[in-house]
């Protein structure tokens, strides 16, 4: 066994110990004090061994990706790979969702007490409702919004209102929207990695993005949809700073990146932290100062669109966030112990991204420390030893991955995400998965990822 493999096993063992500790300690706290408000800590889930219509399909997809995914990812033309990865991710996510059946697994997910579809009928006058939105955030306000509506800016709810107005009514269409859009995040991450760290690493990461345990929560939750919007904002920024297209195409990509980031901030307050990932993209793109200044107006113009529309409609983002903090502490968020969740949230993340990602992050950390000079601007390392392209690519991938990890840790330390982070942190978690490209023996690691996802989905009912 090589030293690298030993470090991989140590990373997996540490991640497994974290999860086990979170389960044991969480079970004790919940049984003794009833302050966690989850039935199967650290996950927001119930013990419910079951099978369903999606079981066979999920097994077929898993076996196919494990057997053929790594080879096809290396051989397919680039655009075909992007489409194929999305299609495979779509099949994997739908299969896992249907393990719980159509009604419980898809159509009923977004119609429960705290979900978005419960308030669609209150948005018959969208501008009027937006003007009045902040008046219903606090728990003691008249007709307070359910938890998920109060906990997010109104773009999240307006999305489902617009689907309803377009004739796509009910939980089935809403669930299909979240799965279809949410699984495109796989392609967005591949585009970004391909531009910033090279297509070889992107190809090696593709099967892991497809077969991610995170698919359990992408199907079906609105956070999967949020993850895709945020991911495409990053991907378009990567196109703008590292793509080979002409000036007009780069300007359009910059505007699009700003537009989607603005929408991201109005889908979830916490996703403003994607600015950290965006900063890493700009750094890795090594944009010259005058090009950066030239693109800035397009970015700002795109970024202003969604905030301007909602502000003109009467919604105050800052006031909404201030009231949300109060509402959060009025509910179970004010009771759940920070001292447990500040580290148990990370155990949830392990279950979301899988144990292979724990090993991948270990390798990414080693690459970042060992090859950090490869990240320096060209002029700064003229006198240093120039790393070979493969080494530079590993370090660049590591920086991208760790920017997402830093954003996740900031969200964790804020104390505004105690429990349910296996769903809430999906947008950040997806960016940790590419670290698996640094692993050797992909089929064994993919098998571990698939087994974890299948166990979670068949032994637990992951409601929210």
């Amino acid at each position: 066994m090589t030293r690298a493999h030993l470090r991989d096993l140590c990373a997996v063992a540490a991640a497994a110990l974290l999860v086990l500790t979170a389960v044991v300690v969480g079970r004790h706290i919940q049984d003794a004090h009833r302050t966690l408000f989850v039935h199967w800590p650290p996950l927001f889930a119930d013990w419910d061994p079951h099978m369903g219509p999606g079981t066979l399909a999920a097994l077929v997809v898993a076996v196919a990706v494990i057997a053929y995914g790594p080879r096809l990812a290396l051989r397919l033309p680039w655009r075909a790979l992007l489409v194929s990865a999305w299609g495979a991710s779509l099949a994997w996510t739908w299969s896992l969702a249907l393990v719980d059946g159509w009604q419980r697994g898809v159509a009923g997910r977004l119609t429960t007490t705290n979900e978005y579809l419960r308030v669609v009928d209150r948005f018959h006058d969208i501008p009027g409702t937006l003007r009045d939105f902040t008046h219903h955030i606090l728990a003691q306000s008249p007709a307070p919004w359910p938890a998920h509506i109060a906990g997010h800016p109104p773009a999240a709810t307006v999305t489902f209102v617009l689907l309803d107005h377009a004739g796509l009514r009910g939980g089935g269409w809403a669930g299909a929207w979240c799965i279809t859009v949410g699984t495109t995040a796989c392609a967005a991450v591949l585009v970004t990695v391909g531009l910033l760290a090279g297509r070889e690493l992107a190809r090696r990461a593709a099967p892991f993005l497809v077969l991610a345990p995170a698919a359990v929560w992408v199907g079906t939750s609105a956070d999967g949809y949020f993850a895709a919007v945020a991911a495409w904002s990053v991907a378009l920024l990567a196109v703008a700073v590292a793509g080979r297209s002409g000036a007009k195409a780069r300007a359009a990509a910059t505007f699009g990146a700003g537009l989607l980031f603005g929408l991201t901030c109005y889908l979830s307050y916490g996703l403003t932290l994607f600015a950290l990932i965006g900063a890493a993209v700009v750094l890795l793109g090594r944009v010259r100062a005058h090009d950066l200044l030239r693109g800035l107006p397009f970015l700002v113009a795109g970024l202003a669109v969604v905030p301007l529309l909602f502000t003109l409609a009467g919604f105050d983002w800052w006031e909404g966030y201030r009231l949300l903090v109060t509402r959060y502490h009025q509910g179970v968020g004010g009771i759940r112990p920070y001292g447990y969740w500040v580290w148990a949230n990370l155990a949830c993340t392990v279950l979301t991204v899988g144990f292979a990602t724990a090993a991948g992050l270990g390798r990414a950390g080693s690459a970042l420390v060992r090859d950090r000079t490869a990240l320096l601007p060209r002029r700064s390392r003229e006198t240093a030893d120039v790393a070979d392209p493969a080494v530079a690519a590993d370090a660049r991938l590591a920086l991208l991955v760790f920017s997402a990890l830093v954003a996740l840790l900031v969200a964790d330390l804020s104390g505004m995400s105690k429990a349910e982070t296996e769903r809430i942190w999906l947008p950040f978690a997806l960016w940790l998965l590419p670290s698996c490209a640094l692993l050797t023996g992909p089929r064994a690691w993919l098998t571990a990822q698939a087994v974890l996802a299948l166990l979670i989905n068949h032994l637990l009912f992951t409601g929210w």
Side-chain angles (χ1 to χ4, degrees):
M1 180 181 294
T2 66
R3 185 175 297 178
H5 289 138
L6 183 59
R7 285 198 297 266
D8 292 343
L9 292 178
C10 288
V12 170
L17 181 60
L18 176 64
V19 172
L20 179 61
T21 305
V23 172
V24 173
V25 174
R27 187 72 271 158
H28 170 72
I29 294 174
Q30 182 63 10
D31 289 343
H33 305 289
R34 303 288 177 183
T35 55
L36 297 187
F37 296 94
V38 295
H39 297 154
W40 207 87
L43 297 179
F44 194 87
D46 292 291
W47 180 256
D48 181 24
H50 64 285
M51 298 176 67
T55 296
L56 180 59
L59 289 170
V60 170
V61 173
V63 170
V65 173
I66 292 166
Y68 302 107
R71 187 186 311 163
L72 285 175
L74 294 176
R75 294 182 178 180
L76 284 174
W78 178 245
R79 291 184 180 179
L81 172 64
L82 297 178
V83 175
S84 299
W86 175 38
S89 180
L90 197 62
W92 176 238
T93 306
W94 268 111
S95 299
L96 291 175
L98 290 173
V99 167
D100 295 318
W102 170 254
Q103 182 60 37
R104 192 168 77 148
V106 179
R109 290 285 190 172
L110 296 170
T111 63
T112 56
T113 303
N114 290 316
E115 283 289 358
Y116 301 95
L117 267 62
R118 296 299 290 263
V119 301
V120 166
D121 58 348
R122 291 174 61 176
F123 278 76
H124 59 277
D125 174 12
I126 295 177
T129 306
L130 290 177
R131 285 194 298 272
D132 198 42
F133 190 88
T134 57
H135 297 154
H136 303 282
I137 292 178
L138 296 180
Q140 70 269 25
S141 61
W145 296 119
H148 288 186
I149 292 82
H152 295 81
T157 310
V158 168
T159 297
F160 299 105
V161 171
L162 294 177
L163 284 176
D164 183 84
H165 288 184
L168 305 179
R169 299 183 177 88
W173 282 112
W177 167 268
C178 290
I179 293 176
T180 304
V181 176
T183 51
T184 66
C186 171
V189 175
L190 289 177
V191 168
T192 307
V193 173
L195 287 168
L196 300 177
R199 289 186 178 179
E200 181 180 349
L201 282 177
R203 289 176 180 277
R204 286 161 55 184
F208 291 96
L209 284 159
V210 168
L211 218 55
V216 171
W217 294 277
V218 173
T220 308
S221 75
D223 296 86
Y225 158 51
F226 304 164
V229 175
W232 281 109
S233 73
V234 174
L236 287 175
L237 184 61
V239 170
V241 302
R244 297 181 180 180
S245 49
K248 290 184 178 179
R250 287 198 301 274
T254 305
F255 179 86
L259 178 66
L260 289 184
F261 181 64
L263 176 57
T264 297
C265 294
Y266 275 72
L267 290 171
S268 175
Y269 295 105
L271 294 186
T272 53
L273 290 170
F274 256 75
L276 295 173
I277 304 176
V281 169
V282 173
L283 177 63
L284 289 169
R286 292 176 178 168
V287 186
R288 291 176 293 186
H290 72 275
D291 289 333
L292 190 63
L293 291 174
R294 187 183 301 170
L296 191 59
F298 296 101
L299 182 69
V300 172
L303 181 59
V305 172
V306 173
L308 185 61
L309 289 175
F310 277 93
T311 301
L312 290 176
F315 172 71
D316 185 334
W317 191 97
W318 293 103
E319 177 68 3
Y321 179 71
R322 184 186 68 80
L323 292 172
L324 163 65
V325 173
T326 302
R327 168 70 180 264
Y328 185 76
H329 290 97
Q330 287 176 332
V332 296
I335 301 172
R336 285 171 169 158
Y338 180 85
Y340 171 77
W341 287 111
V342 73
W343 58 271
N345 282 337
L346 303 180
C348 293
T349 302
V350 170
L351 295 172
T352 305
V353 299
F355 294 104
T357 306
L361 288 173
R363 293 216 176 194
S366 297
L368 197 59
V369 171
R370 182 183 65 245
D371 309 318
R372 59 189 178 277
T373 55
L375 299 173
L376 298 175
R378 291 183 180 87
R379 289 182 183 178
S380 300
R381 55 188 177 92
E382 284 177 353
T383 59
D385 293 331
V386 179
D388 66 66
V391 170
D394 289 357
R396 292 163 69 79
L397 176 64
L399 181 61
L400 178 64
V401 167
F402 276 100
S403 69
L405 182 60
V406 169
L408 185 150
L409 291 175
V410 172
D412 187 30
L413 294 173
S414 73
M416 289 297 291
S417 298
K418 289 180 284 188
E420 303 180 58
T421 51
E422 64 272 15
R423 169 184 57 82
I424 298 169
W425 290 353
L426 276 176
F428 304 117
L430 293 178
W431 291 92
L432 305 182
L433 294 165
S435 64
C436 295
L438 303 176
L439 298 171
T440 56
R443 285 189 176 87
W445 290 111
L446 284 168
T447 301
Q449 296 288 86
V451 168
L452 176 62
L454 291 168
L455 285 175
I456 290 172
N457 220 46
H458 285 83
L459 295 178
L460 302 173
F461 176 65
T462 53
W464 40 82

